[in-house]
Amino acid sequence: MSTKVNRRQKIRYRIRKKISGTAKAPRLSVFRSNSDIYVQLIDDTNGTTLASASSRDKDIKAQQGTKSEKSVMVGKALAAKALALGLTNCIFDRSGYLYHGRVKSVADGAREGGLQF
């Protein structure tokens, strides 16, 4: 693995030591690839994914826009799924990425959709 990936893994492990999701306040985990972004609401006590959304979903993929604009749409889509499940609070897990750009756009979109963290 490259040193960049190793560095992110160390940061990710350090973050995960401190935060954990529950059924009432799940962990909002972000994965960012070069072309797409994926988010999940995870209940760590049971080890289950409660809801997920990505920029590869049909309704988001059909939209025109930059990757940051699509990230906002992904955050809003996840917030809508969370509200349908009756969840309003979550814990944001940036997974070792800087809170900047697409990761920040996802968080802003989730907040606009009604999630609190």
Side-chain angles (χ1 to χ4, degrees):
M1 277 199 277
S2 68
T3 56
K4 190 175 189 180
V5 174
N6 284 335
R7 181 180 172 277
R8 189 181 78 80
Q9 280 293 82
K10 285 182 185 178
I11 295 169
R12 185 170 169 246
Y13 292 146
R14 194 165 55 233
I15 291 169
R16 287 288 291 122
K17 275 195 284 188
K18 297 176 186 173
I19 65 172
S20 179
T22 63
K24 293 190 187 272
R27 178 170 54 96
L28 193 155
S29 179
V30 176
F31 175 74
R32 186 192 71 184
S33 71
N34 285 339
S35 57
D36 295 306
I37 194 152
Y38 307 85
V39 291
Q40 295 180 348
L41 284 176
I42 302 170
D43 175 9
D44 289 315
T45 55
N46 296 325
T48 58
T49 298
L50 304 175
S52 65
S54 75
S55 58
R56 294 178 59 104
D57 293 345
K58 288 183 181 181
D59 54 339
I60 296 171
K61 193 172 184 116
Q63 300 286 329
Q64 294 292 323
T66 63
K67 290 189 276 189
S68 291
E69 291 167 352
K70 287 189 178 185
S71 296
V72 171
M73 292 180 218
V74 169
K76 287 181 182 177
L78 185 74
K81 290 179 182 180
L83 291 177
L85 292 172
L87 301 170
T88 56
N89 291 330
C90 66
I91 300 163
F92 191 74
D93 177 11
R94 60 187 177 91
S95 299
Y97 301 110
L98 294 177
Y99 187 76
H100 176 267
R102 290 190 282 156
V103 175
K104 186 176 183 215
S105 296
V106 166
D108 292 341
R111 282 192 192 103
E112 287 176 28
L115 281 179
Q116 297 175 352
F117 43 86

